[in-house]
Amino acid sequence: MNKNITPIYNDLQKLGSEFFGTFMLLLIIIGSGIMGNNLASGNIAIALLSNAIATGTGLYFLISIFGSISGAHFNPIVTVFFQTQKDIPNRLAYGYIGVQILGGLLGVWFSHFIFELPVFQFSTHVRTGFPQWASEILATTGLLLTIVLGTRHAGNQVPVLVGSYITAAYWFTSSTSFANPAVTIARSFSDTFAGIRPEDVIHFILAQSIGLGLGIFLLRFFEPKVKETNRP
């Protein structure tokens, strides 16, 4: 392959990995929420359990197959962190965030299609209040610690670490651990079990941004090599 074309092709591979990985992640989150809710006969605990297990195991295989291509971020918070560490150039980071949001939206809409629901809809699921915002700060901080410390000290275990963390966080956080702006935006377009009202999205994303800042602070304590940053 032409040397001038190779870097472009590599970037396209990475962007494609982030797009398809986030697409599949939202398909898993929304689809398992719909299926679990349909089969649970009103038992919310069973519906949440099925949603959590599907999401955790889905993250395991998605990170395993796409990690060596793009890093398997599937999350603007993760992308911004590695951007601040100069592990990913700005132009590629902005591309990652764009395709993560687009892939998430298409994953939601495709999930609606295969479950024979109206493709385009908005959520009415209320998720608001300081306890849930604090929950998102905690969830995001914990996810960042899991990814970064896992990468540096147990690299081969990152897929299972992240999958296990998210499965657990569905249950120990009151917000059910979105911890991801792209996921939060996409879920506002689904009036199903996993949805979130559009008007609640901005507060979740602000909480996730605070979680990023707190995560960076803690990582600089645990891992002095993590660079200081003024980014939110």
Side-chain angles (χ1 to χ4, degrees):
M1 185 177 291
N2 188 300
K3 291 183 179 180
N4 294 325
I5 296 176
T6 301
I8 298 174
Y9 179 73
N10 289 340
D11 284 354
L12 288 174
Q13 279 188 318
K14 292 176 181 179
L15 291 170
S17 167
E18 288 297 303
F19 170 81
F20 189 70
T22 314
F23 169 86
M24 287 298 300
L25 177 59
L26 267 298
L27 187 62
I28 291 165
I29 293 171
I30 298 298
S32 64
I34 295 169
M35 180 67 81
N37 196 46
N38 288 346
L39 298 178
S41 300
N43 188 323
I44 297 176
I46 296 299
L48 181 61
L49 180 62
S50 62
N51 198 203
I53 292 173
T55 303
T57 54
L59 279 167
Y60 174 80
F61 81 75
L62 288 172
I63 295 170
S64 295
I65 62 177
F66 289 119
S68 63
I69 300 174
S70 67
H73 296 185
F74 315 140
N75 185 338
I77 291 292
V78 177
T79 297
V80 169
F81 172 78
F82 284 111
Q83 181 188 16
T84 67
Q85 302 303 299
K86 308 300 182 185
D87 292 330
I88 178 173
N90 290 340
R91 59 175 178 77
L92 195 57
Y94 301 142
Y96 270 29
I97 293 170
V99 298
Q100 288 160 1
I101 293 171
L102 178 60
L105 288 171
L106 292 177
V108 167
W109 292 332
F110 191 71
S111 183
H112 294 163
F113 173 74
I114 63 176
F115 280 97
E116 301 183 82
L117 297 174
V119 172
F120 302 108
Q121 50 185 271
F122 293 100
S123 178
T124 57
H125 192 154
V126 178
R127 298 180 191 264
T128 190
F130 285 103
Q132 291 207 44
W133 301 337
S135 175
E136 277 301 288
I137 294 172
L138 171 65
T140 306
T141 299
L143 176 61
L144 195 60
L145 292 175
T146 299
I147 292 170
V148 178
L149 295 179
T151 298
R152 294 179 181 179
H153 300 292
N156 293 334
Q157 300 300 314
V158 169
V160 71
L161 288 173
V162 174
S164 298
Y165 172 80
I166 290 297
T167 302
Y170 262 61
W171 285 88
F172 74 75
T173 63
S174 61
S175 64
T176 66
S177 184
F178 284 42
N180 183 331
V183 165
T184 304
I185 292 169
R187 288 170 67 166
S188 72
F189 287 86
S190 183
D191 195 22
T192 61
F193 180 79
I196 175 174
R197 289 189 311 175
E199 54 263 48
D200 296 334
V201 166
I202 186 63
H203 297 103
F204 266 50
I205 292 177
L206 287 173
Q208 291 156 6
S209 299
I210 294 170
L212 168 62
L214 179 59
I216 290 172
F217 173 80
L218 291 174
L219 284 167
R220 291 190 68 242
F221 173 75
F222 292 119
E223 290 283 328
K225 292 181 181 180
V226 173
K227 301 180 182 69
E228 185 173 8
T229 176
N230 294 321
R231 303 183 70 93

